[in-house]
């Protein structure tokens, strides 16, 4: 596939400890797929400077886009901005535009602008802001790394702000076909069929429907006509 | 923390394409936390041989335990066993005990044992089986890597079979305290408090409750008494 490639870096002790179930990875995976961007890897790392630096450096060299989630608030455990600056070897600076936005956000809510609010205006030198309507604190982009909030509603708003600026690929066509037979009984024929559609990805997943074990076959590809052809071939090979 | 460390490798195009929301990572993260095993990293990679080999080799060298999910069925896209054998540089073999189990499973259900069923008995040489009541096809363990099914109900059964054999750490004590103030207004005091409890992890998460914005502070640590102390200190610093 020649679509742009991407990775997600989820920064979050709350995910690794099992306290919180991931939402952002699931949301962004769906959005990227619809946008024609090929999500190739996800990593979840703790709120730990060296883990973030290592993760972001590995991913930004391997994929065209990296999206991070989490750790950009005002508290002591929000260390993502510093870690990204370290990863890129640039200083961290108070961004005047970010500061103005946060001041405006505070003024509207009758909050005092303090050194704690100012922490949220600290971004790596040379980064551009990712602004959103929901929160005063912006995300930011450094080269191919898009750094966003962990709170799902704000994460989604930031994704909405970033995506229009990215090159869009061909959206993947995904279609399912369900066979009322266990996986192993269709595996041989399915393998032959998958080989003759080498330009598509054909996945096979055991599934239960009304108490009967069957197989859901998922066909994915950039060429919608070829996906339709493969689904027809599946109909022929495994009639309902 | 001196608890055993762990990582999870989720193998699944269906997660990366946004089709399926992860369940296994969330489930295992909670179980490991309760078992006193410190989950330090999760990676999600596609059903791709080199991605699996690279992921498993990076993680097995960095952490005491690696748990994988997905890709051990009978179909063409089930390439995990081969990838793990490659990662360890060992041949893949048909395991007699696995074969017997799968034969028994087929016999009980009136299914013919074919070359397709036999595929599920192929494991890396030297691996030990992870058996479960729900499925004929076993998972397996090679050194510190535990290879399990992707179907959540079977994954959970395999986790149940593996865990008793692993050294258990001290379970983490996790307690929450909610403050009815926005994060930035408590960040300074919270930082000071977090510094005096450097043996604990104190996370701060913006949250909404009944339409008011507040902060949930999560305290995690191996020493339950220290966690209780920190929660008291939070009560004192931010009275309800």
């Amino acid at each position: 596939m020649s679509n742009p490639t991407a990775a997600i870096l989820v920064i979050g002790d709350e995910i690794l400890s099992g306290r919180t179930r991931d939402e952002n990875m699931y949301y962004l995976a769906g959005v990227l797929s619809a946008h024609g961007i090929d999500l190739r890897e996800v990593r979840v790392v703790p709120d730990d400077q060296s883990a973030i630096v290592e993760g972001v450096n590995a991913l930004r060299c391997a994929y065209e886009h990296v999206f991070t989630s989490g750790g950009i608030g005002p508290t002591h455990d929000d260390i993502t901005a510093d870690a990204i600056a370290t990863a890129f070897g640039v200083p961290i600076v108070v961004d005047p535009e970010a500061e103005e936005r946060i001041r405006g956000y505070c003024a509207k809510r009758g909050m005092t602008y303090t050194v704690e609010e100012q922490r949220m205006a600290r971004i790596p030198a040379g980064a551009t802001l990712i602004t959103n309507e929901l929160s005063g604190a912006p995300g930011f982009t450094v080269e191919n790394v898009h750094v966003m909030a962990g709170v799902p509603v704000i994460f989604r708003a930031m994704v909405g702000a970033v995506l229009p600026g990215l090159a869009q690929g061909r959206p993947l066509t995904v279609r399912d076909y369900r066979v009322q037979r266990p996986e192993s009984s269709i595996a041989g024929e399915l393998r032959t069929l998958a080989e003759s559609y080498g330009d598509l990805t054909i996945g096979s997943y055991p599934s239960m429907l009304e108490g009967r074990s069957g197989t859901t076959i998922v066909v994915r590809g950039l060429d919608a006509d070829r996906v339709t052809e493969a689904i027809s071939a599946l109909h022929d090979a495994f009639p309902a």
Side-chain angles (χ1 to χ4, degrees), chain A:
Chain A
M1 296 207 292
S2 57
N3 273 348
T5 59
I8 301 175
L9 183 69
V10 176
I11 297 155
D13 283 347
E14 72 281 14
I15 307 284
L16 292 173
S17 69
R19 181 176 178 269
T20 302
R21 185 175 179 189
D22 164 74
E23 277 189 55
N24 293 339
M25 163 177 112
Y26 177 53
Y27 172 75
L28 185 53
V31 167
L32 292 176
S33 186
H35 205 80
I37 295 177
D38 186 18
L39 178 62
R40 300 288 291 278
E41 185 169 348
V42 178
R43 293 192 191 181
V44 187
V45 296
D47 301 339
D48 171 85
Q49 160 100 10
S50 63
I52 301 169
V53 171
E54 200 181 305
V56 82
N57 276 340
L59 297 175
R60 74 188 175 94
C61 297
Y63 305 104
E64 285 166 68
H65 296 289
V66 178
F67 302 87
T68 82
S69 155
I72 63 166
T75 51
H76 64 282
D77 58 334
D78 292 313
I79 59 173
T80 299
D82 294 273
I84 301 289
T86 302
F88 279 94
V90 299
I92 192 147
V93 295
V94 173
D95 184 81
E97 195 186 323
E99 204 170 22
E100 199 185 299
R101 281 174 187 275
I102 299 167
R103 273 185 197 282
Y105 183 85
C106 288
K108 237 181 1 197
R109 308 190 150 212
M111 286 161 62
T112 318
Y113 182 85
T114 69
V115 67
E116 303 304 338
E117 271 77 22
Q118 197 191 48
R119 258 183 75 83
M120 294 186 281
R122 294 165 70 251
I123 63 172
T128 56
L129 298 182
I130 302 172
T131 57
N132 72 99
E133 296 301 314
L134 293 177
S135 129
F140 56 84
T141 295
V142 189
E143 296 182 11
N144 61 337
V145 179
H146 312 285
V147 176
M148 299 180 288
V151 178
V153 66
I154 301 174
F155 179 82
R156 291 194 291 272
M158 288 184 178
V159 168
V162 167
L163 270 185
L166 305 182
Q168 187 155 352
R170 293 167 70 189
L172 212 57
T173 297
V174 183
R175 286 184 61 189
D176 291 7
Y177 184 68
R178 191 170 194 286
V179 181
Q180 204 71 292
R181 287 161 58 184
E183 257 198 315
S184 58
S185 80
I186 63 164
E189 272 178 281
L190 184 60
R191 180 174 301 113
T192 309
L193 200 143
E195 278 161 9
S196 61
Y197 288 90
D199 52 328
L200 307 178
T201 306
I202 299 186
S204 167
Y205 305 95
S207 60
M208 296 291 282
L209 191 69
E210 292 162 8
R212 294 171 64 191
S213 78
T215 304
T216 298
I217 301 166
V218 180
V219 182
R220 277 184 282 261
L222 294 179
D223 182 335
D225 292 341
R226 281 287 284 170
V227 172
T228 303
E229 261 179 58
I231 292 286
S232 296
L234 286 167
H235 271 277
D236 295 344
F238 312 112

